[in-house]
Every structure is written in C-alpha cells, then in structure tokens.
Amino acid sequence: MAITAENLGKHFGDVEAVKSLSFHIEHGELFGFIGPDGAGKTTLFRMLTTLMLPDTGSASVLGLDVVREYKNLRNRLGYMPGRFSLYQDLSVEENLRFFATIFNTTIEENYHLIRDIYIQIEPFKKRRAGQLSGGMKQKLALCCALIHKPDVLFLDEPTTGVDAVSRKEFWEMLKDLKAQGITIVVSTPYMDEASLCDRVALIQKGTILNINTPEAIVAEYGKPLFAVKSARMYELLGALRGFSFAHSVYPFGEFVHYTDSRAEAQPEEITAYLAGQGFTDAEAHSIKANIEDSFMALMESPSGQEIP
Amino acid sequence: METTTTIKPDERESVITTEQLTKRFAKFIAVDAISFSVKKGEIFGFLGANGAGKTTAMKMLTGLLSPSSGKASVAGFDVYKQAERIKQNIGYMSQRFSLYEDLTIAENIRFYGGVYGLSRTTIADKTGALLQRLQLEHARNALISSLPLGWKQKLAFSVSLLHEPAIIFLDEPTGGVDPITRRQFWELIYEAASEGVTVFVTTHYMDEAEYCDRVSIMVNGRIEALDSPRGLKERFHASTMDEVFVTLARPSA
C-alpha cells in the first residue's frame, strides 16, 4: 500500500476541516480527491506531506508514518502546492537547480523524469519564475516536485483556474508519470477530471462521500435520470420542478438533468407533461449519470449548504 | 407554440460596443482590434485560454485600463473619456474581489450601498429584499468569513447588483464552487438577465458556456469566433462547447 490513513482528522477552531478520514491508495495508482473549495483537500494533503500535524488518527505514506518518520518521508515524496510557491525572483533554471540541490541530487541525474515537461519551458530557462505565464509556472512547479525522483507525488489542485485545453495537456503529463511507476495523488474541483483517475474520493466538508473507481461510482446512481431540452431553458427548470415526480432538476450544459423520484420512468411521460405546460418542443431521453450527477446526489440536498 | 412576446436579442439596444479595440504593452499586443457588441439583457460568455487577453479586455471595458486604440462604449459611456461614469453604471464580481471577510452580511451591504451613493432608506429596503431573496434573513449578522464559499459568491453577486447597474461583469464567478451551488449561481444569473441586466461572464467550465446566449472565444488577443453555443457547435462540427474550445484555442493541437 502506498498510502494509508486511519481516522485522520484536523480542526481549526470550531471548524472540522478533515473529519476522521480512513482510506488507502495502492502503489502506482493515479488517485483523485474531487471536491469543491473548503472540502478539506489542502489540509489533507498538508498532513499527508508531513507539513501539518493531524489532531486525530494516523497516516503513513510509503510505509513511513507522517509524524514520526517525516524526515525520511520528505526525501521520497514530491508535493506541488495549490498556490505557486517557487522563488519568483530566481530563474526557471535556478529554481530547478535549487530543488535538486536541497535533495542532494542534480538536474542531470534525474533529467529523464522531467525531460518531456522541461523541454516545453527550456526556451525560457533564464526568465524569472515570477514572469512566467500560468501554464509555464505550473510546468516548472511540476518539474521541481519531480527532480528528486519521488516515489509518490501529491498535486494540490494543479488545474484550478487553468483553461480547458491546458487542463487536458496537464493530465497527459500525469498519465506519462504514472506510466513510470510513480504513485500520484491529485486534488481537483473539476468533476470531469474524475474519469481520468484510476480511483477517486468524492470529498465535501471534510468527509468522503464515496470512494471507488469513477465507473463504479456512477453505476451506483439510484434513480432514473433524463436529459431534457427546450428552446426556453430557464423556464424549463421551473416547469420540471413543478412535475409531481421530480426529485432533482439541474441545468447541465445544453440540457437539464432531471431525476425522477420513482423507481422507473419513461421519457414520454416527461415530454407529455411538458407539452401540457406549453413546452411543445421539449425533448427528453434517458441517460447514464456522470460523476457530477453522482456528486450532487451524494451532497444530501441543496440545504446541505445552509449557514452553520 | 410559444406565445411569449419577448423581444429577440438582435432587436434590443446594444449596451457594450467595441470597434477595433486594442491594447499594447510595449511591443506585445494583448488585445488585437476586437469588434463586437452585447445587447441589453444578454448573457454573454467571454472565453479564451489563459493569456489570450480576456483580463486586459475586461479591464478596458470596466474603465480600469485605457485602450491603446480603437473605440468602445459601455452602458452608453466612452471608455476613454467617461471611465468613472462606466464604473458607476456597472457591477463587477470575481472570486478574488469579493466581500469583506471581517464585516457581517448586513455591514457589507451597507458599505457597498454607501460606496454607490445609495440613501440610507434605499439601503435598508434593499438589504431586506436581498436577504429575503437569498433566504439569508437569519444570517444578517453573520461574518462573511463564517460563510461557505458558495454563499459568499451568491451574496457577492447580489451585492454587485445593489445599485441596479445596466451591466454586470463576472470574472470566473464559480471557480471552486460545489456543483449544486454552481448551478444555483447560474439561476441567479438567468434571473438577473430576465430582468434586463446584461451579463458579461468568463468561465473555465465549458458546460457553463452552454448557458450563455452568445459566446466569444479569444485566441492570441483576437476574437476568433462569436456566436450562440448552437451556432458555434454547428460551425465547428462539434457536439460540445468543450470541443469547440479545444479546436479554436489550440489550432495546432
């Protein structure tokens, strides 16, 4: 097992940031913690990377206890924090050399690990890190986290605020690293990135809602789900919520996702109801849930976000 | 068939118009002669890859940055000569610029109402209506720092509409927000637009691009495409906006 956590918890004042989490991650896995801001992802990562002491429970990474054996562990893990934390006034090359040196290695020794990523920023190696674009900063941070050849890599929200194309490129890089045998633990608020992981934990308010392969999580979606469409989308939301069998109604790109409260339902029933409400153009078809549908179903209810 | 008498977008007046709007920083052209217009009550999605020039364009449209050349008017005011008037007539909200964490909900509303020159009675009326609409009456004296991110964002949105601006600029308003709150946020956007507010919004969530009436996609400082989500998907033979975006934003990929 690459990572094990038993009842791992952390609170700040009255806020329980991480609530007694237990999970394990296998060697060589690409594992995702998927959840919104405030879910506890960063606190969890800080505990697993030995940067913060847990209040309760324990965790080990690569068989090393995160509290007692932190010194050994730090040599074997790589961590890319959510906030850019390289030296802004050192150049690209200087940053990389610095991180190699503090881990008693050289850029040359582990160059093969970062080569594919580093060649993309090499033309700017004399530029100060603070003057790089967001995408280049991210690539440099990844190189710095990899230069000591870690066995496990923690990436805290590497794609937040990054455009859709750069996000795809970043996941390609992660796939290549996984192929080299590195265990990768990544957190993200983007639900669509779940399908790129071997297994995911859906996390919200310090609690794991579900942990499994993305395929297994969506297969557990319990209710009939339909994609519904009309030219008048905003009005369609209200109309569907007025349907007596409606369980949940959410806008979902060009469709509205409608969940029926019954065990079985037919799309024709929905379109017939909508036609009666003046939506003669409405179309509905049965669909399989995706991770975001599952996440929302697991979030108890919209009142799950009430004021504490 | 539809019996509503809503005016079609193209028959409505334009509230944002730009012509060859350009911004240069030394030799670098951040925004390269963009021309477009946005109609009253429209939800206009302003997309582009990181570094495409969106932020620079938005700064010019909100009166924060003077253009190098070209023309633009926002809410009827000229971006060169009437930047202050623009600021009075628009709302702005982003994840980075939001409410004051160590003030309460009511104090934030009073503060922003004051900044926009609303009278005490108006502020009091608006505070009540706003809290009722968001079902936050019980939390009026809660500190912003105690609220979940999703509530902060919904509140920040409503506060940015306090002075009844013609246009609201939203810069990645839903980043990091949970999926249910993200959708509730978009319903607030729909509601504002249905009341005639023009919504100018940036996002990295491609499903949210589908909620816009029209979407522009910026690439290297230019607007490479501008149409309804349906029109864009047809033109690029794509089934989702994500595909459209990938095709345009990295032609080489």
Side-chain angles (χ1 to χ4, degrees):
Chain A
M1 216 61 77
I3 299 168
T4 1
E6 291 290 340
N7 303 317
L8 195 65
K10 181 80 189 178
H11 65 88
F12 301 105
D14 296 338
V15 181
E16 275 190 273
V18 172
K19 292 177 192 165
S20 190
L21 298 185
S22 301
F23 57 86
H24 62 84
I25 296 170
E26 309 268 356
H27 280 289
E29 234 183 333
L30 174 47
F31 190 95
F33 283 94
I34 319 267
D37 287 5
K41 304 188 297 290
T42 298
T43 304
L44 176 63
F45 274 43
R46 285 184 178 158
M47 291 192 285
L48 294 176
T49 53
T50 79
L51 300 174
M52 185 180 271
L53 295 171
D55 293 329
T56 61
S58 61
S60 70
V61 177
L62 303 167
L64 299 167
D65 186 272
V66 295
V67 179
R68 291 192 307 275
E69 298 169 283
Y70 75 95
K71 279 193 181 166
N72 289 336
L73 182 50
R74 282 184 186 176
N75 286 317
R76 297 184 54 196
L77 65 80
Y79 172 50
M80 182 171 149
R83 183 180 289 185
F84 183 69
S85 18
L86 302 179
Y87 294 93
Q88 310 261 4
D89 46 4
L90 291 187
S91 71
V92 167
E93 200 176 25
E94 286 165 344
N95 265 294
L96 193 57
R97 196 166 301 286
F98 173 80
F99 281 94
T101 308
I102 56 169
F103 283 106
N104 282 318
T105 183
T106 57
I107 298 176
E108 293 69 29
E109 194 174 329
N110 292 320
Y111 188 72
H112 63 282
L113 262 180
I114 60 162
R115 190 189 159 277
D116 292 347
I117 307 160
Y118 191 64
I119 48 172
Q120 301 173 50
I121 50 173
E122 206 165 15
F124 314 98
K125 66 183 179 184
K126 300 288 178 204
R127 191 180 289 186
R128 285 182 187 195
Q131 320 223 292
L132 296 174
S133 72
M136 287 198 284
K137 276 183 181 165
Q138 188 195 40
K139 284 172 185 146
L140 176 60
L142 185 57
C143 289
C144 290
L146 279 169
I147 197 63
H148 62 297
K149 197 170 183 292
D151 296 311
V152 56
L153 183 61
F154 290 89
L155 305 161
D156 192 10
E157 298 207 20
T159 55
T160 293
V162 173
D163 67 68
V165 180
S166 306
R167 288 207 280 137
K168 283 193 174 65
E169 290 173 353
F170 195 82
W171 278 93
E172 288 299 321
M173 289 189 265
L174 294 191
K175 246 193 259 173
D176 294 343
L177 290 171
K178 177 187 147 69
Q180 304 193 42
I182 301 174
T183 304
I184 302 172
V185 185
V186 61
S187 71
T188 178
Y190 296 104
M191 303 281 148
D192 59 340
E193 293 181 349
S195 62
L196 303 166
C197 301
D198 298 323
R199 283 195 309 142
V200 295
L202 304 184
I203 179 170
Q204 160 93 350
K205 293 183 190 164
T207 307
I208 290 179
L209 302 172
N210 199 348
I211 182 164
N212 213 327
T213 62
E215 299 76 21
I217 287 176
V218 298
E220 284 172 28
Y221 196 85
K223 293 191 162 66
L225 178 66
F226 300 91
V228 189
K229 197 175 179 176
S230 155
R232 293 181 289 147
M233 293 298 271
Y234 179 45
E235 292 87 347
L236 181 67
L237 290 169
L240 280 169
R241 285 187 186 129
F243 192 33
S244 50
F245 301 113
H247 172 74
S248 68
V249 177
Y250 292 118
F252 229 105
E254 61 177 321
F255 296 100
V256 171
H257 282 193
Y258 164 88
T259 307
D260 203 277
S261 58
R262 297 167 292 180
E264 279 182 47
Q266 297 306 318
E268 295 77 22
E269 297 172 76
I270 301 160
T271 43
Y273 160 76
L274 288 172
Q277 300 291 311
F279 294 84
T280 46
D281 69 330
E283 297 166 30
H285 64 274
S286 177
I287 53 163
K288 286 206 170 92
N290 63 30
I291 280 284
E292 201 157 5
D293 291 308
S294 298
F295 195 99
M296 291 194 286
L298 288 164
M299 279 175 69
E300 300 166 349
S301 69
S303 64
Q305 305 133 60
E306 69 208 17
I307 304 295
Chain B
M1 278 310 291
E2 280 186 52
T3 52
T4 48
T5 52
T6 45
I7 309 164
K8 291 199 180 76
D10 39 8
E11 293 164 13
R12 296 178 296 199
E13 55 177 308
S14 293
V15 290
I16 301 175
T17 320
T18 77
E19 268 178 60
Q20 307 288 312
L21 188 68
T22 300
K23 183 69 191 181
R24 284 186 207 89
F25 296 106
K27 282 184 183 167
F28 176 66
I29 304 175
V31 173
D32 191 359
I34 58 174
S35 303
F36 67 96
S37 66
V38 183
K39 308 280 180 185
K40 182 175 160 58
E42 193 171 21
I43 302 176
F44 189 84
F46 198 59
L47 309 188
N50 300 112
K54 297 193 302 287
T55 304
T56 304
M58 257 179 123
K59 280 187 176 167
M60 290 192 281
L61 296 175
T62 52
L64 297 174
L65 185 67
S66 195
S68 305
S69 62
K71 287 184 199 167
S73 90
V74 176
F77 300 104
D78 182 82
V79 290
Y80 292 95
K81 295 180 199 129
Q82 297 171 298
E84 289 310 309
R85 299 296 301 275
I86 289 176
K87 288 177 202 165
Q88 289 159 16
N89 284 278
I90 61 167
Y92 176 81
M93 183 215 144
S94 80
Q95 200 180 348
R96 287 168 297 279
F97 179 75
S98 191
L99 303 170
Y100 289 93
E101 294 275 314
D102 47 4
L103 295 183
T104 66
I105 294 181
E107 286 166 346
N108 265 286
I109 298 174
R110 205 165 79 216
F111 174 78
Y112 281 103
V115 166
Y116 283 110
L118 304 182
S119 71
R120 265 164 192 268
T121 45
T122 311
I123 292 172
D125 291 349
K126 290 204 170 260
T127 302
L130 190 159
L131 292 177
Q132 194 182 13
R133 181 183 270 195
L134 294 176
Q135 297 179 348
L136 278 175
E137 288 116 320
H138 61 288
R140 88 170 16 237
N141 296 318
L143 288 179
I144 296 298
S145 58
S146 72
L147 303 180
L149 174 72
W151 275 114
K152 286 182 199 170
Q153 296 303 84
K154 284 189 268 191
L155 201 56
F157 176 78
S158 303
V159 168
S160 66
L161 289 171
L162 266 186
H163 57 300
E164 298 177 9
I167 306 164
I168 181 163
F169 288 86
L170 305 171
D171 194 2
E172 290 181 39
T174 57
V177 170
D178 74 69
I180 291 182
T181 311
R182 199 154 74 79
R183 288 170 170 80
Q184 291 170 341
F185 193 93
W186 270 93
E187 291 193 39
L188 291 177
I189 292 180
Y190 276 134
E191 193 177 283
S194 71
E195 287 164 11
V197 178
T198 303
V199 180
F200 189 97
V201 59
T202 72
T203 180
H204 285 312
Y205 291 101
M206 287 303 122
D207 61 328
E208 294 186 347
E210 301 273 3
Y211 306 149
C212 301
D213 295 316
R214 286 189 307 150
V215 168
S216 78
I217 299 180
M218 263 187 103
V219 181
N220 296 330
R222 296 163 182 266
I223 290 183
E224 283 295 320
L226 198 173
D227 203 342
S228 65
R230 179 190 288 194
L232 288 172
K233 283 184 284 184
E234 278 170 13
R235 182 172 141 204
F236 294 96
H237 310 289
S239 60
T240 61
M241 281 303 292
D242 191 56
E243 282 175 39
V244 172
F245 187 82
V246 171
T247 309
L248 272 171
R250 291 292 154 86
S252 57

